[in-house]
């Protein structure tokens, strides 16, 4: 598909149609319960064979199934009958343009370095996240489910992480040549240490490190914490560096305070990229800090921090800000191929 024109393939598949409706609702930040209705119905019907789905649609018995309601059944019935569902058509008509500007940069992006699945606090399985990234034009995606310390986000223990590797291998076999890379979003703890063992980190393709707690700590403490975190030899990306929230259901939160010069100099010295987080409620870092990181000579990644498939199409929010702050495309690491990304990771 062409970057900047969103249209997920349905091709007469009623389950794909349900997933497409959910995708568009996620893209426009609809209420979670609305999205869940379509994803739940898709999961339920995926357990059946296509013949049974078609026969139930013809007999009007789809709603007899747990998790399938009138609206989701109507979508399935229309697709089985060869019609475009009204709900899907309406959503597609609202989603013909990118969510933001910066499309010239978005067209250069080859992947996304920060994404989550239902293994931690995401809403969809790994295959659907990867398949959607592929359908949006990416050639690779890094899965970065949370590390163990972030219990509120169902962070993965090292054992669970290694079990996830098997799923990633299966996804890569199914979606090749698209590549799903093994990543993690680790916590930078209060003392600046990383909450994952080095032997696990060395098995990964990319490590994003973020602060998730005590965000209102004094500037001196936060600076020391962040500098220590990005100085870890196996950290590759500094995630959502201020932790701010500017809108959304969680309310707002001011940015953390820290010595930006010291932190960005540490990123440069250690070869750590600064994330331009595209989530609408984050848009982190603020423009002044983004410009300061650029002046320091840092490299960047434009990431979605997606927790659902529809959020993978939020990269233009970050691209727009990068272009506004005159970040050159060659400073954006995820304009590179998967092989070049891995080579960049081992460059030091």
């Amino acid at each position: 598909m062409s970057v900047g024109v969103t249209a997920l393939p349905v091709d007469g598949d009623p389950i794909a149609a349900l997933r497409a409706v959910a995708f568009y609702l996620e893209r426009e930040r609809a209420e979670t319960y609305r999205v869940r209705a379509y994803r739940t119905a898709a999961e339920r019907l995926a357990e059946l064979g296509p013949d049974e789905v078609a026969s139930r649609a013809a007999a009007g018995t789809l709603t007899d199934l747990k998790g399938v309601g009138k609206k989701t059944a109507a979508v399935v019935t229309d697709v089985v009958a060869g019609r475009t569902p009204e709900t899907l058509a309406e959503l597609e008509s609202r989603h013909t343009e990118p969510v933001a500007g910066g499309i010239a940069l978005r067209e250069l992006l080859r992947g996304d370095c920060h994404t989550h699945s239902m293994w931690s606090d995401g809403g969809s399985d790994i295959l659907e996240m990867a398949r959607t990234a592929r359908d949006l034009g990416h050639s690779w995606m890094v899965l970065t489910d949370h590390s163990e310390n972030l219990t509120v986000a169902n962070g993965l223990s090292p054992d669970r992480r290694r079990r996830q590797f098997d799923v990633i291998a299966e996804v890569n076999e199914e979606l090749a040549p698209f590549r799903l890379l093994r990543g993690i979003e680790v916590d930078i703890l209060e003392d600046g240490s990383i909450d994952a063992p080095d032997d696990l980190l060395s098995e990964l393709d990319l490590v994003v490190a973020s602060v998730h707690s005590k965000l209102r700590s004094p500037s001196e403490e936060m600076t020391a914490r962040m500098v220590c975190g990005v100085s870890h030899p196996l950290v590759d990306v500094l995630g959502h560096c201020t932790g701010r929230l500017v809108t959304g259901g969680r309310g707002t939160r001011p940015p953390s305070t820290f010595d930006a010069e010291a932190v960005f100099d540490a990123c440069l010295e250690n070869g750590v990229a600064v994330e331009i987080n595209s989530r609408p409620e984050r848009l982190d870092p603020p423009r002044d800090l983004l410009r300061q990181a650029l002046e320091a000579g840092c490299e960047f990644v434009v990431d979605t921090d997606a927790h659902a498939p529809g959020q993978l199409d939020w990269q233009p929010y970050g691209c727009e800000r990068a272009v506004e702050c005159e970040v050159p495309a060659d400073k954006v690491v995820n304009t590179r191929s998967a092989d070049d990304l891995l080579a960049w990771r081992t460059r030091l």
Side-chain angles (χ1 to χ4, degrees), residues 260-270 296 298:
E261 181 179 358
V263 171
F264 294 145
D265 282 350
C267 287
L268 179 64
E269 181 179 350
N270 292 281
C298 294

Side-chain angles (χ1 to χ4, degrees), residues 157-201:
S157 67
D159 285 344
R160 286 183 66 211
R161 182 83 50 183
R162 290 186 172 99
R163 290 200 297 273
Q164 188 182 75
F165 293 170
D166 294 334
V167 178
I168 291 173
E170 292 171 1
V171 169
N172 279 325
E173 184 174 350
E174 179 168 343
L175 298 185
F178 178 88
R179 291 173 68 179
L180 181 61
L181 302 178
R182 304 190 304 195
I184 191 173
E185 183 180 12
V186 294
D187 269 18
I188 302 176
L189 303 176
E190 287 185 66
D191 63 358
S193 62
I194 300 302
D195 75 318
D198 287 358
D199 63 338
L200 173 66
L201 298 180

Side-chain angles (χ1 to χ4, degrees), residues 7-25 34-35 37-39 41-43 45 53 71-89 91-92 128 131 135:
L8 291 189
V10 172
D11 300 327
D13 181 347
I15 296 172
L18 291 169
R19 289 172 173 157
V21 170
F23 169 88
Y24 293 123
L25 290 173
R34 295 182 61 203
V35 177
Y38 290 94
R39 292 216 178 275
E43 291 167 7
L45 295 178
V53 172
K71 290 184 177 180
T72 54
V75 169
V76 174
T77 300
D78 281 341
V79 174
V80 169
R83 301 185 296 266
T84 299
E86 182 179 347
T87 299
L88 180 58
L91 284 166
E92 287 179 335
E128 187 163 4
R131 184 169 48 220
D135 291 344

Side-chain angles (χ1 to χ4, degrees), residues 3 13 20 32 34 38 53 68 184 199 212 247-248 255 264 290 323 326 331 341:
V3 170
D13 181 347
T32 301
R34 295 182 61 203
Y38 290 94
V53 172
V68 181
I184 191 173
D199 63 338
H212 288 107
T247 186
F264 294 145
L290 178 50
V323 170
E326 300 182 335
K331 283 280 191 180
L341 175 75

